[in-house]
Amino acid sequence: MTVHAIIGGTGLTELSGLMLREIRSIETPYGLPSADIVCGEFAGREVLFLARHGHPHRIAPHQVNYRANLWALRHAGAQAVIAVNAVGGIHAAMGTGHFCVPHQIIDYSYGREHTFFAGDLDHVTHIDFSHPYDAQLRERLIVALQAQGCAFSDHGVYGCTQGPRLETAAEIARMERDGCDIVGMTGMPEAALARELQLPYACLALVVNPAAGKANEVITMGAIEAALVEGIGLARAVLARVLA
């Protein structure tokens, strides 16, 4: 049976309902992961959980040790990864509280350690990243969202920015021209690193605010946190359906 890892983003620093078996502190060749890996049973299945930003939430998107996180999860036995990401909505359909299962990603981040294939190598490796998300894992998320009755989109382009600041309205306008539907700060290099480790990977994105210039109101952390309170509960229910 496949052992799934869940990477929790903003608002999901712990997985309610997880029956704890073990907490593993893993050192990697790339340093320490964001947090200890929580091993247990969720929805009747073996699950590994990792808080991307630490627990409590303390690591900014550009400072997450993505390499250590993915390496540690695979070392702990992960065979597939579901990432939960809080994002901003660019496309008109992506309103607050809407879910998206992206099918593509554009990377606007910079300066991050983004590959395992670096340093003193025997040979250069180029992964095929034409389709960054695993098709079967995406389909399972889509079926679970349908069953849960969530408002969602079964495809979309995730634009990954550097953070930790939010984007300007002009940057969002450019991203929209590029074809982005949602914007976040943690989608890359996480997805590419999973592919390098041959781990099936998919993203469950929750829209927690309209992107810059997409609403008249100022984007506030209070509004984002309110959207997270409701949305993360639904995300947990969706994850339970995927695993069960």
Side-chain angles (χ1 to χ4, degrees):
M1 188 176 295
T2 301
V3 177
H4 289 80
I6 296 171
I7 300 178
T10 300
L12 190 60
T13 56
E14 56 186 346
L15 188 60
S16 177
L18 180 69
M19 294 177 58
L20 178 64
R21 290 182 180 168
E22 181 185 8
I23 296 177
R24 299 187 63 181
S25 180
I26 298 177
E27 290 192 29
T28 82
Y30 309 98
L32 291 173
S34 297
D36 291 340
I37 295 175
V38 181
C39 311
E41 185 177 302
F42 182 70
R45 298 290 186 266
E46 184 179 356
V47 168
L48 308 174
F49 178 79
L50 176 64
R52 183 187 291 115
H53 298 282
H55 183 50
H57 186 290
R58 58 184 174 80
I59 305 172
H62 66 294
Q63 294 179 317
V64 171
N65 192 338
Y66 296 95
R67 293 194 300 179
N69 286 353
L70 271 297
W71 193 97
L73 286 171
R74 191 183 71 163
H75 182 76
Q79 297 168 301
V81 178
I82 300 174
V84 180
N85 299 74
V87 299
I90 298 176
H91 191 282
M94 305 293 173
T96 299
H98 194 83
F99 285 93
C100 180
V101 183
H103 71 293
Q104 279 293 335
I105 194 164
I106 300 176
D107 190 7
Y108 299 93
S109 68
Y110 50 87
R112 303 181 180 188
E113 296 290 352
H114 64 279
T115 181
F116 293 109
F117 302 122
D120 187 15
L121 301 174
D122 293 331
H123 59 87
V124 178
T125 301
H126 302 283
I127 59 167
D128 181 358
F129 204 52
S130 303
H131 303 285
Y133 301 108
D134 182 77
Q136 291 184 345
L137 205 49
R138 286 189 66 254
E139 182 60 28
R140 287 169 60 195
L141 282 168
I142 290 166
V143 169
L145 284 160
Q146 288 173 331
Q148 190 64 31
C150 297
F152 77 98
S153 296
D154 62 7
H155 68 282
V157 179
Y158 182 131
C160 182
T161 59
Q162 179 70 356
R165 67 168 177 84
L166 298 175
E167 302 73 31
T168 69
E171 287 169 333
I172 293 299
R174 174 190 132 189
M175 294 175 71
E176 188 170 26
R177 291 193 296 271
D178 287 348
C180 295
D181 300 298
I182 53 177
V183 55
M185 302 174 188
T186 55
M188 286 289 285
E190 196 172 88
L193 292 168
R195 179 63 54 85
E196 288 186 352
L197 293 178
Q198 299 181 6
L199 285 170
Y201 177 97
C203 168
L204 176 62
L206 168 65
V207 179
V208 296
N209 62 275
K214 293 299 177 180
N216 295 324
E217 298 81 11
V218 174
I219 300 172
T220 67
M221 287 308 300
I224 291 173
E225 289 167 1
L228 281 167
V229 168
E230 181 176 356
I232 289 300
L234 284 172
R236 288 192 186 98
V238 170
L239 292 171
R241 288 182 181 275
V242 170
L243 297 172

